[in-house]
Amino acid sequence: MRRTSSRMAGVALVVVAGLAVAGCSSKSSGGDSTDTGTGGTGSGSLSIQPLVQIDSSGAEVKSSGTGDAADPAGDGKATCSGISLAMAGALTGPNAALGINILNGAKLAAKQHNDANPNCQVDIKQFDTEGDPQKATQVAPSIVGDSSVIGLLGPAFSGETKATGQVFNQNGLLSLTASATNPDLTKNGWSNFFRGLANDAVQGPSVAKYMVNTLKYSKVCVVQDDSDYGVGLAEQITAGLGDAADSSCAAKVKGGDKDFSATVQIVKSADADAVFYAGYYAEAAPFVSQLRSGGVKAAFVSADGTNDPQFVKQAGSASKDAYLSCPCGPAPDKFATDYKAAFNIDPGVYSVEAYDLTTIMLKGIDSGIKDRAGLIDFVKNYDGQGLARHYKWDPTGELASALIWIYQVK
Amino acid sequence: MTGRTNGTAIGKVAAADRPHGGAGDRLRLWWDALPRQRQWLFGIPAFAIVALLPILRPPVLTTVGTDFGGVLAQFGMYALLAVGLNVVVGQAGLLDLGYVGFYAIGAYTVGLLTSPNSPWNLTDDWLSRSWGWVFALPIAIIITAVSGLILGSPTLRLRGDYLAIVTLGFGEIVRLLADNLSDITGGGRGLSSIAYPVVGTSEKRPFGVFSAGNTQHAPTYGVWWFWLSLLLLAITLILIGNLERSRVGRAWVAIREDEDAAEIMGVPTFRFKLWAFVIGASIGGLSGALYAGQVQFVVPTSFNVINSMLFLCAVVLGGQGNKLGVIAGAFIVVYLPNFFLGRTSLLGIPINGNDIANYKYLFFGLALIILMIFRPQGLFPARQKLLTYGRELYVAARRAAGYGKPAPEPSTEQGGAS
Amino acid sequence: MSALLLTTPVLADGVIGFNVDALAHNFWALTVDGLTYGAIYALVATGYTLVYGVLRLINFAHSEVFMFGMFGQYATLMLLGFAPSGNAYTQGTVMTIVYLGIAMIGGMVVSGGTAVGLERVAYRPLRKRGAPSLAFLITAIGASFVLQEFVHFILPKLTNNELGGANAQQPIILVQPSEQFTFLGASVTNVEIVVVVAALILTFATNQFIVSTKFGRGIRAVAQDPVTATLMGVSRERIIMLTFLIGGVLAGAAALLYTLRVPNGIIYSGGFILGIKAFTAAVLGGIGNLRGALVGGLLLGVMELYGQALFGTEWRDVVAFVLLVLVLMFRPTGILGESLGRARA
């Protein structure tokens, strides 16, 4: 076919010319991943920095030192055998960074313990739930069916805790979570469930009051995803914001959504001072990116589900100046050094909590406990200092003291 | 029966033209020749062996990385689903890609009636939690049947491809409704703490044999759910079998083979297609209720299209139209990935079992493609019997045609009766 | 406008809200957005409609052809030296167009190849055996999942975790969306203009190909009457391959345009829902009808966004599926009716 062959030759010529031009162009010298043009700072220099610690009325609280934190190494003379601890959370999937933070914190504590106690080697068995409550229900029977597991660090997300909590409760397995913050989780009467950080009934009002009183936002759009954590947090934030929360621009997105054009449009036309996103970084990053591309100048505020370096990496310079809250504090220096040396990445949110909670469980094992019921009792009666805070639980499984940290991307 | 004309015998087929002569066909012919009572005589011990598998725990069959009882419980539910889908796809010939929607409706009905998260929860009113599931089960079946009626009435006038896509659309609409109507269904948070039958409480098992707390002592709760689903499966098979041998079943065969001809011959096709849909839906709802009771948690992500594909694969793999064959198909679909979970070596070769288990959708998709090209009738093809009491006649006709007999030497083609 | 509709009536006690205010307030912005998505749907719908017109077959796996196109253009950009980043690259308008063009060609090659390969491996053996049409559909479903899971699990192993896997690819953004002008209060960005214009050009080009070239006449002939076409000397197998190729190429172009609009959407499951929506668009416009694919696509894109404003942002996919079911039930021939076989396509 003369026509097709000449057409194909034309196409080939264009391709070759294009490749030649591309090869000769100056863009692929590597620096472009951080270059946004004439004036902007590259995202390579953006990171999440702690700003201030606040209480439930949004006022600043000076942080005290870590004091005499419990050391997983103990006295080095513990004996045990055939005992292990489990960790359940998102180790793969879109929000995997949050679960890996927890796993690494736990592994660091276990390593320090095992190195110091040659006669008591405790294994951390990891169970990947992908952050999905449905997958968690498939994994939970394996955890409770393993008789060497006497304690569980997790589940990591509120949704999966809600889905599997009854399984762990009925099997009498200790469930110590370093990250699940939905307040309703401790209202189920699960005597085996303990939360190692403040819940959203504290985080919500604290951040809301901070936004209204300190940051002086008078109109906020609250956008939530469909996870247990997102819905619960959005409820708390909306209640705490009171009149500042504009209900006409409140929107719902779904986990797994990549395209937020209608939501961006609604937020844009509402002309708010700030947008609060209740959800995880897998959606927060494209959302803030599309917000900025859409020309929305409102401040972006989010919470612990978004508070991860992955958010900054995926959103690039769109994440600049975002406020992120967390019931967890920044990592102490020595911990950060040890963590980096062991895993080659910086610690993230909940790493310190995971370390502390694993230390508590290891202390229980060191004191001679070999069964699940015993470990639950140990935690119920525990009163001690950790790296992040003081740990003492009330009868429902909540911590006595609870403060929130505010970070900013800069 | 073996008259001779011009050198070729009536009823005899030349060796080159004889389509079946292998060992499988001899087995099938022998099985078809048995009267139903004798078939049951073989069936009951086989059934007992399958039921006792989780107790016997045979060495190679028992799964390594996951609870064998749990795997068999899932097989029980999938077997029910396969039988239900077989009624729709295999018997009546209606390709239903949204069957997971019925599964979801059954599970959500039980969830909505018994979960503390649901606004329609009855267990904090007058319904006791011990018997909540048993109460909700027939309601789930009825509601799913009604939904089958609602889905079928407007759409069964469509043919083939269009029906498949519409049912796919409906399956997705059910899932999206469950996701979006979060005030009622909990949305992405799901409905937790669904009631399960509390039976057999003891000191070792304070919550009963069916609760998720029964994991430390054999038989675990997975095994008990497996036995329950086997019981329900047996009842379903008896009912479906009776339907197959009745006017309804023959109407389905006629509709499947050539709907226009059936309509012309006076078969009320629309009504029987609707029946197929409703019956298939009810069985799907039954299986959904079992799922909700066992896992005690329902969330929309469990009911996505890829599971519809797995159900379809079970039916196609097992043999469309063959209700025992699709159970075998369901076993393969459920068991094979779980066989590989946690296994690090097979016959001495080191393998990564978890990876292979992850590839299950890939393998089953490939299986569908290959099956459709090389063996579209599936592993255990259906043999439809259109005449009542026609078993002897069919068997004699097949024997006369030389089915099930090994091919004789070409030189002896001229001689002898069959 | 919002002063007129200060109150928002609520349907069914808050179960499904009916927010007319949001729709009225944002009408033109939603329309512009909707036309952008609609243009993408139209390109993919053309693939469905062509294959149906020629073969009377719903190519269920076409959504995966689109998905492969997305990965194809992404891989092309990676080969050109772009690294994934949250920020947009800036390299001047001419170079941007050149890079986009190369990426589009890369995407078209990959998806065209996938479509033809699909036809060869999955559909041709069935055609040779004279299988019933449901067998084609079952095979298509199987092929769809094979392709998805290949990208999900096998591709990361082949490319050392650069491509594929469970998570979306980190975006490579070549064009930073910037507002070019406003139209009745709605801002129109450069990305939206590029998408709509490119889609219109491609649709027009395809239409010309079908109407005026020899191969195009062959396609129409086979669509109208395969047996007579063969008698007239048209090679049926080549026409079928060409049909799949054109559909694939258009899906590849649509993939690039989609990635321009939604940079984070490159994931193994990213084709599936879009494919069903594109099929809805094809049916809406009239399956087998090329202009119908365009009309249906634009209409569906716009109605989805209106539905999102009206009922809530989470109802987008439901709107599409409900439309699909309604169209198939009440007007299966679509708005413009079937017509690939007729003289004027």
Side-chain angles (χ1 to χ4, degrees), chain A residues 312-385:
Chain A
V312 177
K313 182 157 178 261
Q314 289 179 16
S317 60
S319 64
K320 188 158 188 294
D321 293 334
Y323 290 99
L324 303 170
S325 69
C326 189
C328 54
D333 291 329
K334 179 170 181 307
F335 176 81
T337 325
D338 293 341
Y339 189 101
K340 186 96 188 256
F343 304 109
N344 223 2
I345 51 174
D346 288 321
V349 299
Y350 312 131
S351 300
V352 186
E353 278 70 22
Y355 179 88
D356 279 343
L357 294 176
T358 313
T359 306
I360 294 177
M361 288 200 277
L362 288 169
K363 290 233 167 298
I365 296 176
D366 286 351
S367 70
I369 295 176
K370 295 192 194 11
D371 64 328
R372 295 176 175 182
L375 203 57
I376 294 180
D377 270 336
F378 180 82
V379 173
K380 198 160 36 169
N381 299 320
Y382 184 82
D383 183 352
Q385 181 73 20

Side-chain angles (χ1 to χ4, degrees), chain B residues 67-218:
Chain B
D67 178 30
F68 192 42
V71 172
L72 288 176
Q74 199 187 9
F75 156 60
M77 284 174 234
Y78 269 60
L80 269 173
L81 282 166
V83 168
L85 188 57
N86 180 46
V87 170
V88 179
V89 174
Q91 304 256 19
L94 310 164
L95 185 55
D96 184 349
L97 292 181
Y99 197 68
V100 78
F102 298 133
Y103 189 45
I105 292 176
Y108 263 94
T109 309
V110 172
L112 285 171
L113 289 176
T114 60
S115 162
N117 305 125
S118 138
W120 298 339
N121 179 21
L122 296 176
T123 54
D124 54 0
D125 262 343
W126 50 270
L127 187 60
S128 97
R129 278 195 75 84
S130 316
W131 297 107
W133 184 85
V134 178
F135 174 78
L137 180 64
I139 299 182
I141 297 178
I142 293 171
I143 297 214
T144 320
V146 167
S147 75
L149 195 65
I150 295 174
L151 166 60
S153 316
T155 60
L156 282 176
R157 303 184 192 281
L158 298 169
R159 296 296 178 88
D161 294 6
Y162 283 164
L163 178 68
I165 301 290
V166 167
T167 49
L168 177 69
F170 259 99
E172 282 290 278
I173 288 176
V174 166
R175 181 183 65 83
L176 287 168
L177 279 178
D179 207 2
N180 287 346
L181 298 177
S182 44
D183 290 337
I184 303 175
T185 61
R189 297 173 290 160
L191 298 170
S192 60
S193 304
I194 295 179
Y196 51 88
V198 179
V199 171
T201 54
S202 65
E203 219 185 272
K204 279 192 300 180
R205 303 183 169 103
F207 297 100
V209 290
F210 288 107
S211 86
N214 176 10
T215 52
Q216 302 297 326
H217 312 277

Side-chain angles (χ1 to χ4, degrees), chain A residues 1 3-4 7 11 14-15 18-19 21-22 25 27-28 32-37 41-43 92-95 248 251-254 258-259 261-263 265-266 268-269 286 289-290 293-294 310 313-318, chain C residues 19 22 25-26 29-30 33 37 80-91 95 98-99 102 105 166-168 170-171 173 176-177 179 187 209 212-215 258 261-265 267 305 308-309 313-314 316:
Chain A
M1 292 269 99
R3 229 187 310 166
T4 3
R7 210 177 284 153
V11 169
V14 168
V15 172
L19 281 170
V21 172
S25 80
K27 66 115 201 69
S28 30
D32 275 331
S33 61
T34 56
D35 191 285
T36 50
T41 47
S43 72
T92 60
N95 295 307
S248 70
K252 297 187 189 174
V253 301
K254 290 196 207 220
K258 303 278 177 271
D259 175 30
S261 46
T263 312
Q265 188 50 48
I266 291 177
K268 184 169 177 185
S269 64
S289 193
Q290 290 174 25
S293 313
Q310 275 294 321
K313 182 157 178 261
Q314 289 179 16
S317 60
Chain C
N19 191 350
H25 203 83
N26 300 308
L30 293 171
D33 255 345
Y37 288 108
L80 283 177
F82 290 94
S85 143
N87 300 320
Y89 284 89
T90 54
Q91 58 274 331
M95 287 313 295
V98 168
Y99 288 132
I102 298 176
I105 292 176
N167 300 333
Q170 292 267 39
I173 310 176
Q176 179 72 336
E179 182 174 314
S187 81
F209 181 84
S212 36
T213 67
K214 180 173 163 188
F215 273 119
Y258 181 73
R261 187 70 183 75
V262 184
N264 294 284
I267 186 175
L305 286 200
Q308 267 192 302
T313 45
E314 70 270 26
R316 179 180 194 173

